[in-house]
Amino acid sequence: MVSPLNLQAEISLTQLLLDTPMQDTSIQNQCRLLRCKLQPGIDLFIWQSQLVEPFKLRAYDDLGMINFTCALNGQSEFSLKHEKARRRYQVSEGANCISFTPGCHGTALYQGQFESLVVAVQPRILEQWGIDPGAVIQAQLKAQCCFLQSPYHREIQTTAALLKHKLLKMAAYPPSQRSASSLWLLGHSIIFVSLMLEQYQQQTLTGFKLTQQEQQKLQLAKELLLADLTKAPSISSLASETGLSVLKIKRGFRLLFENSVYGLFQVERMKEAKKRLSAGNVQVLTVASDLGYVNASHFSSAFYKQFGVNPSTYKRSF
């Protein structure tokens, strides 16, 4: 049996992660950590390894950030100690994790090829974004030793892959050329976090029922949502218009339409874009503008994310 490589002393997450806004570091020449500080309280990380032998890392969480992690490749094992309790977790390829472990001591074991993408945010940031984690997740976060896992989710994996490729390309840019890319990374990181929260909330819908009247009101909410594909109404306005609570709107869309409110809006928005591009006599920039996009690159990213092809390439096929 091969003995794991070890960092003899426990290391704080501040020491491990927060050195410079973007830095490539190696741990025993087998691990790579790439970090981009998107704005105060929000960091994006890629953790990669090509390990000949297992690698064990002992760490102490002195940062207190909520970590939204997508395991892109390989698997890892974690052990967390909080007060007198010790919990063990295994994360396999394709899994998504939400963790919040301020003050916890832990051990991580990595083997072979491993890759994960992490968006780390301070708890206050979710409030600034106006994101509601949901009652179940909020309760877990308050426990301050939170490690929630969800299975493979295609949209989350796709978003994580886009973030990874953009960050790797950005690392090669001179600092003067990184501002636009940082904005792109921030926007997609917010999408990434929202998708992960929505996926976990969906797992808590077991036993959630809708009456016939509520289903009719949700159908009305859907019509209001899609009435203008250039701009989505707020969930609170949909709730007000239909007489449903915000929570009922969010959960109801997941249950009845199998998508989040804004996820459904974006799907239909891109379907309309595809329909217009299929006509063959309209420019990509025109379609983007007509559907409310100020930035054409954001439109192209959204189109590629849904259909796996750039809008200009799709248009040329007609």
Side-chain angles (χ1 to χ4, degrees), residues 40-310:
I42 310 170
D43 293 279
L44 177 64
F45 299 95
I46 296 175
W47 175 260
Q48 298 171 318
S49 69
Q50 288 278 359
L51 296 168
V52 177
E53 299 178 355
F55 174 76
K56 183 179 289 186
L57 175 68
R58 296 173 56 226
Y60 167 71
D61 187 352
D62 61 340
L63 288 177
M65 301 181 83
I66 305 173
N67 298 305
F68 297 86
T69 305
C70 178
L72 295 168
N73 195 10
Q75 65 178 28
S76 55
E77 297 177 19
F78 296 91
S79 174
L80 293 174
K81 184 178 180 181
H82 180 64
E83 296 178 345
K84 295 183 179 181
R86 182 174 290 276
R87 304 172 186 174
R88 299 182 184 277
Y89 308 91
Q90 185 173 73
V91 180
S92 299
E93 182 176 324
N96 304 304
C97 306
I98 302 172
S99 60
F100 183 55
T101 58
C104 290
H105 297 260
T107 301
L109 179 64
Y110 302 95
Q111 303 183 58
Q113 186 176 18
F114 176 82
E115 183 177 48
S116 66
L117 181 130
V118 184
V119 175
V121 302
Q122 293 287 353
R124 61 180 172 79
I125 297 297
L126 295 184
E127 296 180 13
Q128 293 176 8
W129 286 346
I131 293 178
D132 177 15
V136 175
I137 295 177
Q138 193 68 56
Q140 292 280 349
L141 295 177
K142 286 182 179 179
Q144 298 199 339
C145 189
C146 167
F147 197 94
L148 309 173
Q149 281 201 71
S150 298
Y152 175 87
H153 185 284
R154 182 181 62 82
E155 195 172 2
I156 292 175
Q157 285 281 321
T158 301
T159 305
L162 287 171
L163 282 166
K164 182 191 80 169
H165 291 307
K166 189 71 171 181
L167 181 55
L168 291 174
K169 290 175 70 174
M170 180 178 164
Y173 297 164
S176 61
Q177 297 180 17
R178 291 177 180 172
S179 58
S181 294
S182 294
L183 182 61
W184 187 97
L185 288 171
L186 176 60
H188 281 70
S189 293
I190 295 173
I191 293 172
F192 177 78
V193 168
S194 298
L195 287 171
M196 291 196 67
L197 288 171
E198 287 169 1
Q199 183 194 22
Y200 194 82
Q201 287 170 358
Q202 176 66 22
Q203 293 181 197
T204 67
L205 290 179
T206 304
F208 181 73
K209 304 293 183 182
L210 293 169
T211 66
Q212 187 68 30
Q213 185 180 32
E214 287 171 338
Q215 291 183 43
Q216 292 173 350
K217 289 182 177 182
L218 284 166
Q219 289 290 351
L220 173 59
K222 179 182 177 182
E223 292 173 10
L224 294 170
L225 174 71
L226 303 180
D228 181 4
L229 292 176
T230 65
K231 184 179 180 181
S234 67
I235 296 178
S236 59
S237 68
L238 291 177
S240 177
E241 290 275 356
T242 59
L244 294 170
S245 68
V246 169
L247 180 61
K248 187 73 74 170
I249 289 281
K250 290 181 177 180
R251 289 190 172 185
F253 264 69
R254 281 291 185 184
L255 191 63
L256 195 59
F257 307 124
E258 297 184 342
N259 208 333
S260 66
V261 176
Y262 295 125
L264 179 63
F265 176 82
Q266 190 66 0
V267 166
E268 295 302 320
R269 197 184 199 185
M270 288 301 101
K271 283 183 179 178
E272 178 62 23
K274 190 176 184 181
K275 178 182 175 181
R276 296 188 186 192
L277 290 172
S278 299
N281 58 353
V282 62
Q283 297 297 315
V284 172
L285 287 175
T286 301
V287 174
S289 177
D290 288 348
L291 290 174
Y293 282 89
V294 177
N295 190 316
S297 65
H298 292 172
F299 170 72
S300 295
S301 296
F303 193 91
Y304 182 88
K305 183 177 178 181
Q306 182 152 333
F307 300 116
V309 63
N310 291 321

